[in-house]
Every structure is written in C-alpha cells, then in structure tokens.
Amino acid sequence: MSAQTFADPIEQHHYDTITERLNLNRLKAEAEAAAGHEPPLDDDQALDAEPAVAEPAESLRDLATEAAVLKLLSERVAAAQKDVKARTQRALDEAEKRDGTERVAASLPTGEQVATISLRKGETGPVVTDEEALARFIRKQWPAEEWTTTRIVREVKPWKLAELLAEMDAAGAAKLVDKVTGEVLDVPGVIIKPTRARTYAITWRKGGKDTTAEAWRTGALAQQLAAITAGGDE
C-alpha cells in the first residue's frame, strides 16, 4: 500500500511521524514474539488483567473466640446484675424508712450524673388462696344468689369474684359487709398480701449511656465492674 500524501506539509509531517512509530512498534512486537516474549500490556489492559482481590473470609477461630467471650460476659453480667439489684433494693427500702428517700442519682467516678434510680413501691391486695373454701362461704352466706357454679368443686363466678376482691381491696382486709344485715364477715380462702414486689427504675439522662460506655472503655469503671472481670468460674 502506497503512503498517503498531504498538500499541507505540517499534516504530512504528523502523518509520517505516526506511521514511523507504528512501524517501529510493530517490528518490536514481532521481534519479541519471535524470541518467545509476551507483548507488553498497555495501562488499560494491565488494569483489566489484575486479579480481583478477594475479601478476607471471617476466621472461624476468631468467631468462636468472640462467641465464647460474649457468653462469659453475659453470664457474669446477669449474675452481677441480680446481686446488685437485690442490694440496691434493700438500700432503697432502708433509705425510705430512715428519711423518706425515694430517688438517688447514679454518677460516674468523675462526678458526672448519668442516670437516676427511683423507688417503685409495691402493692398489697386480696389474694385467693383457697377457691373452694371461698366458694362454699359465698354459697352459704348468699344461697339465693347465683354467684357460684358447681362442677367437681364449687367456685365463684369470675365476674363476682372480681367484684368481691375489689371490695376487700378497698377495705384492706379479707372481710365483706352483708348489705342486708350490715354484718362484717370474715372471708375464708382470702388473705391480704403483697401483689407486686417493690422495685426500682433506672432513668437515663441525655447522653448518659454514651458517657457510661466511654467510662467503661477507658477503665474508669474498674471498681464497679470487678464482679464481671474477677477471676474464677463463679
């Protein structure tokens, strides 16, 4: 094929230069191929030829360690929480009896308050301990009323039982008043006892959880976490 010619000498020069470079590259490639060498890749080909780096798979050993550590921590946290809950409840009960204290602030060793612990008082009310004895009493006291049912044993109908227990709850005693005679009756099978235990609630201040977590991370709560980090299996 004859070389192309241009009227403009500048264009002709550019064409000749490019043609010469192409011929030189072709000759070089042929020589390397004859010598058994692979032709070099350009930048785009080199990028495409690079093998993709696979994401490292999670180590089963590391996962097993993490699972074991978290299991141990959860067991120790549960045990420590049960212990401190009982001790805190006793202290709150004593403080309320002593000086009426029902709320206390939870503070970090730095003095920063992160939460408030508030006493929740329990409740007391009537509790049925012998349903059959109660049903026999109601049937005997008010025989004309259909307030009980009989199956294998006699029992009070649920709607009436709720009504009678509410009456005893208001009186604060296992007693009922006969509306006809005005007689105060002792009710068998029912006692007045705590129906909800005293407890306490923890209310976090804004940012209190993050601040506490940071204090844990830095080791500032080592004393408070001694029950969790102490040695031994117990």
Side-chain angles (χ1 to χ4, degrees):
M1 178 182 292
S2 60
Q4 186 172 353
T5 59
F6 295 88
D8 187 341
I10 295 178
E11 291 183 359
Q12 184 66 49
H13 173 72
H14 288 166
Y15 175 79
D16 293 341
T17 301
I18 293 173
T19 301
E20 182 180 0
R21 289 180 178 176
L22 289 174
N23 289 332
L24 289 174
N25 289 337
R26 179 175 57 80
L27 292 173
K28 182 179 180 181
E30 291 175 352
E32 290 182 346
H37 298 156
E38 291 292 335
L41 300 176
D42 58 27
D43 292 341
D44 292 336
Q45 290 175 320
L47 290 175
D48 293 339
E50 290 181 0
V53 179
E55 292 292 333
E58 284 190 290
S59 165
L60 179 57
R61 187 184 300 275
D62 291 342
L63 287 173
T65 301
E66 183 177 353
V69 169
L70 292 178
K71 179 70 163 55
L72 173 62
L73 284 176
S74 66
E75 291 173 352
R76 291 198 173 188
V77 167
Q81 188 175 31
K82 181 179 179 180
D83 175 65
V84 75
K85 184 176 181 179
R87 290 187 288 117
T88 301
Q89 189 65 56
R90 286 196 299 269
L92 282 171
D93 291 343
E94 293 172 359
E96 193 220 4
K97 291 178 182 178
R98 183 178 63 250
D99 52 26
T101 298
E102 296 184 358
R103 181 176 300 178
V104 62
S107 303
L108 297 178
T110 59
E112 182 176 0
Q113 295 185 1
V114 294
T116 301
I117 293 182
S118 306
L119 178 66
R120 286 183 176 177
K121 298 181 180 179
E123 294 180 357
T124 300
V127 177
V128 177
T129 57
D130 188 336
E131 293 185 11
E132 187 176 357
L134 174 60
R136 285 198 303 267
F137 162 77
I138 291 176
R139 178 65 177 172
K140 179 180 179 181
Q141 188 64 36
W142 295 284
E145 302 291 348
E146 295 297 328
W147 290 346
T148 65
T149 58
T150 303
R151 290 184 292 185
I152 297 176
V153 295
R154 181 169 291 278
E155 62 182 13
V156 185
K157 293 180 178 180
W159 68 268
K160 189 60 184 180
L161 178 59
E163 182 181 304
L164 296 176
L165 289 177
E167 186 176 333
M168 287 182 271
D169 190 17
K175 296 179 182 295
L176 291 172
V177 177
D178 189 318
K179 303 298 190 298
V180 177
T181 65
E183 181 184 3
V184 178
L185 307 169
D186 292 322
V187 181
V190 178
I191 61 173
I192 302 298
K193 62 180 291 187
T195 56
R196 189 178 72 181
R198 290 166 65 90
T199 184
Y200 61 86
I202 298 178
T203 305
W204 289 95
R205 293 172 177 256
K206 185 176 180 180
K209 290 185 178 181
D210 291 338
T211 304
T212 303
E214 178 63 14
W216 184 356
R217 187 187 69 80
T218 60
L221 298 178
Q223 180 179 351
Q224 289 78 4
L225 298 176
I228 300 174
T229 57
D233 292 335
E234 298 299 328

